[in-house]
């Protein structure tokens, strides 16, 4: 059976004058109008407030309407967005120059007052559980607009990666008075942005409909209309693509790739800018579920580097990537896939070495191994529950009997926070390597805001110092090199066992010429280029 297609498809012959993505300086400019683009997405947009929560659900879908000062390209490099340039004036002052001739969807001009409003709304108005972007602007002491195309920002201290922070913040239009609330945005007039598509309609958890912004500053977008259908069930998304009900489907399970190709679909994939890993509790003296072979509690074995290394050496990443992820994953040795900014070329995933792992356990005083419960979420990440089983089978070869304990993510998350686990499988993502190092592996420190995801209470003063030094350097090659060195140190200490970077997989039908993947996992019409006759 061939992939379904529309009745009388209108594939337009057009010359793409320029291509640039992710709310970049230009989306495809076309010679004549394209028909509607239909996308089946796993992302369930629950709000029209672009600053409510820092989730891919909002980032992907609302990026059609709103834009950022700075954006990250497919290599996670910073590029001009609504700001054409930026520079530090001192350790605590930044200047951003804004793009000329940009208009919001109601025709009003974009200027520096809109940036001031955006920062002040996030910093001063939005409160938890909203305000998911507050950490990006909490260090800003003041923001001003000396002229319509210049923004001056004064920070409380040095914030050398401020442009990176702005690559996550959508700019809103300043209203005539006051600050808009989330409730007003969800129930009131259509949201106003400067993006390539205008808002048409939204049904929470069901659909989002958009229309082309013919006056977009970056050039006329490729599609006249875009409809996102929220289809959370993976099998249903695959079926919708197979029958031609949609043109694009995101978050395709690896197991369905072969059958989709047989039906005529095309597949695009990229290694995710994220890490799935095993994390240890190294803070407590004894741990729940960790015993000797007779079932008696033992001293926390994960405090011993030799034990952590033994378990890492007994982990077969090849099985995880090749079997469980069907090849749509990359074995990991650090927090981001090799080649992205801040990664180290020296760190490469190791093949399992069970003999060496056994020798390390014996040297640590555990020649017979021990028992543990290996916890993790079920259905949160591709192959999560199956990964627990595979890891347990690998560890059994060195005498470590791991009992997999998979639970729905909400249950797992609650129990992990309560200290019910001694070792677990997890995952996280971020805008950059330092964001993950900062939250996952740095010592928990509320004053510095580090270690928010360091549930195992790992501490390494040398690493903390190297990371702090790297974070004090402005974004660029020198900072990337410093982050790579910090990563090498913390990975040598086996703070976690990096497992894999799963791949984002998108399928598309005959109306689409190509789909450009982004490691952040975004799904947008701007990434979707029309087929040519």
């Amino acid at each position: 059976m061939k992939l379904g297609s529309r009745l009388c498809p209108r594939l337009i012959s057009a010359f793409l004058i320029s291509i640039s993505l992710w709310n970049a300086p230009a989306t495809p400019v076309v010679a004549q109008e394209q028909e509607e683009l239909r996308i089946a997405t796993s992302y369930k947009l629950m709000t029209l407030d672009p600053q409510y929560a820092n989730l891919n659900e909002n980032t992907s879908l609302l990026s059609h309407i709103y834009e950022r000062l700075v954006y990250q390209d497919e290599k996670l490099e910073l590029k001009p967005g609504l700001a054409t340039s930026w520079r530090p004036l001192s350790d605590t002052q930044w200047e951003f120059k804004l793009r000329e001739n940009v208009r919001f969807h109601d025709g009003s001009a974009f200027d520096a007052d809109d940036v001031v409003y955006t920062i002040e709304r996030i910093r001063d108005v939005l409160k938890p559980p909203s305000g998911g972007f507050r950490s990006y602007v909490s260090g800003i002491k003041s923001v001003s607009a000396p002229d319509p195309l210049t923004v001056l920002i004064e920070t409380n201290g040095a914030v050398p990666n401020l442009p990176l922070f702005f690559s996550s913040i959508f700019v809103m239009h300043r209203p005539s008075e006051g600050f808009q609330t989330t409730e007003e945005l969800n129930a009131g007039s259509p949201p106003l942005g400067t993006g390539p598509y205008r808002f048409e309609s939204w049904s929470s958890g069901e659909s989002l409909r958009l229309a082309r912004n013919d006056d977009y500053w970056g050039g006329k977008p490729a599609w006249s209309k875009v409809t996102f259908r929220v289809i959370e069930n993976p099998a249903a998304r695959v079926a919708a693509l197979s029958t031609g009900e949609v043109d694009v489907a995101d978050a395709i399970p690896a197991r369905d790739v072969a059958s989709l190709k047989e039906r005529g679909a095309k597949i695009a994939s990229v290694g995710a800018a994220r890490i799935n890993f095993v994390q240890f509790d190294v803070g407590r003296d004894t741990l729940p579920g960790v015993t000797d072979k007779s079932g008696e509690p033992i001293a926390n074995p994960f405090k011993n580097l030799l034990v952590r290394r033994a378990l890492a050496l007994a982990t077969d990443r090849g099985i995880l990537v090749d079997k469980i992820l069907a090849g749509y994953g990359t074995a990991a040795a650090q927090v981001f896939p090799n080649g992205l900014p801040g990664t180290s070329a020296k760190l490469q995933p190791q093949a399992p070495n069970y003999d060496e792992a056994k020798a390390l356990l014996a040297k640590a005083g555990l020649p017979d191994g021990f028992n543990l419960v290996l916890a993790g979420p079920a259905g949160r990440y591709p192959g999560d529950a199956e990964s627990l089983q595979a890891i347990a089978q690998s560890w059994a070869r060195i005498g470590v009997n791991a009992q997999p304990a998979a639970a729905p993510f909400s249950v797992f998350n609650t129990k992990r926070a309560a200290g019910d686990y001694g070792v677990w499988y997890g995952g996280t993502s971020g805008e950059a390597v330092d964001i993950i190092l900062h939250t996952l592996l740095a010592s928990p420190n509320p004053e510095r805001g580090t270690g928010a995801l360091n549930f195992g209470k790992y501490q390494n003063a040398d690493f903390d110092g190297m990371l702090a030094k790297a974070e004090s350097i402005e974004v660029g090659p020198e900072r990337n090199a410093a982050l790579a060195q910090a990563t090498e140190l913390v990975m040598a200490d086996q703070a976690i066992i990096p497992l894999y970077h799963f791949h984002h997989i998108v399928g598309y039908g005959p109306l689409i010429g190509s789909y450009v993947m982004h490691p952040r996992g975004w799904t947008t019409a701007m990434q979707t280029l029309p087929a040519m006759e």
Side-chain angles (χ1 to χ4, degrees), residues 65-305:
I65 301 169
Y66 296 98
E67 297 183 286
R68 311 168 182 85
L69 292 180
V70 183
Y71 78 98
Q72 285 182 296
D73 68 10
E74 67 274 15
K75 295 182 180 179
L76 300 188
E77 300 286 355
L78 298 183
K79 302 294 182 181
L82 291 177
T84 56
S85 65
W86 50 88
R87 63 182 178 127
L89 303 179
S90 70
D91 286 345
T92 59
Q93 287 186 319
W94 281 84
E95 178 188 78
F96 286 77
K97 288 294 186 179
L98 305 184
R99 193 174 296 277
E100 295 183 76
N101 302 318
V102 176
R103 295 194 172 275
F104 287 93
H105 295 158
D106 66 350
S108 58
F110 158 74
D111 63 24
D113 282 340
D114 300 304
V115 179
V116 173
Y117 170 80
T118 293
I119 294 172
E120 291 179 343
R121 180 176 187 263
I122 296 172
R123 186 192 62 187
D124 304 332
V125 178
L126 295 182
K127 306 296 181 184
S130 60
F133 297 88
R134 291 185 70 194
S135 63
Y136 297 130
V137 299
S138 59
I140 293 178
K141 181 179 179 180
S142 64
V143 55
S144 60
D147 64 63
L149 295 177
T150 303
V151 176
L152 290 180
I153 295 174
E154 184 175 354
T155 59
N156 292 314
V159 187
N161 58 342
L162 189 65
L164 175 65
F165 290 165
F166 282 129
S167 73
S168 291
I169 294 173
F170 289 124
V171 176
M172 293 180 63
H173 183 39
R174 177 186 284 277
S176 56
E177 59 181 30
F179 292 90
Q180 290 177 289
T181 66
T182 299
E183 292 74 20
E184 289 171 341
L185 287 166
N186 288 338
S189 57
L192 289 178
T194 59
Y197 292 92
R198 302 170 183 267
F199 175 85
E200 278 205 337
S201 67
W202 168 62
S203 179
S204 178
E206 294 182 10
S207 66
L208 175 68
R209 298 181 186 279
L210 305 165
R212 178 162 58 199
N213 176 14
D214 289 329
D215 298 323
Y216 181 52
W217 61 268
K220 185 180 289 187
W223 307 97
S224 62
K225 292 187 179 296
V226 179
T227 297
F228 283 91
R229 288 176 51 192
V230 179
I231 304 179
E232 294 185 90
N233 182 278
R237 285 196 304 279
V238 169
L241 179 61
S242 297
T243 59
E245 294 176 35
V246 298
D247 307 300
V248 177
D250 66 16
I252 297 294
R255 63 178 179 271
D256 293 316
V257 168
S259 63
L260 276 173
K261 287 183 175 179
E262 289 176 358
R263 291 176 171 85
K266 295 181 181 179
I267 299 293
S269 69
V270 69
R274 61 173 305 118
I275 178 69
N276 285 76
F277 53 85
V278 170
Q279 190 172 33
F280 309 100
D281 186 326
V282 298
R284 292 180 284 177
D285 293 331
T286 58
L287 299 173
V290 179
T291 70
D292 62 19
K293 288 300 183 68
S294 66
E296 293 298 318
I298 60 174
N300 182 352
F302 307 128
K303 289 189 174 186
N304 191 326
L305 171 59

Side-chain angles (χ1 to χ4, degrees), residues 1 17 145 163 183 236 259 323 329 387 394 404 433 515 530:
M1 182 180 73
I17 297 175
E183 292 74 20
S259 63
K323 303 298 183 183
S387 293
S394 291
V433 162
Y515 187 92

Side-chain angles (χ1 to χ4, degrees), residues 6 36 45 57 102 237 267-268 270 280 318 453 459 464 469 510 531:
R6 301 184 189 183
E36 179 185 9
L45 180 65
E57 289 89 326
V102 176
R237 285 196 304 279
I267 299 293
V270 69
F280 309 100
L453 299 180
Q459 296 189 49
D464 290 340
K469 182 178 178 180

Side-chain angles (χ1 to χ4, degrees), residues 338-420:
N338 260 3
L340 291 179
T343 58
S344 169
K346 297 179 182 179
L347 294 175
Q348 301 294 332
Q350 291 180 283
N353 187 327
Y354 300 109
D355 290 337
E356 185 178 346
K358 286 180 180 179
L360 288 174
L361 278 185
K363 190 175 181 180
L366 294 165
D368 298 324
F370 55 97
N371 299 335
L372 59 83
V373 174
L374 177 61
R380 174 72 172 179
Y381 310 110
D384 47 16
E386 297 92 337
S387 293
L388 293 181
Q389 296 285 345
I391 294 167
Q393 291 172 12
S394 291
W395 288 358
R397 297 183 61 171
I398 64 169
V400 175
N401 295 330
Q403 176 186 345
F409 181 71
S410 59
V411 175
F412 163 77
N413 203 31
T414 299
K415 288 190 172 184
R416 180 178 58 182
D420 290 354

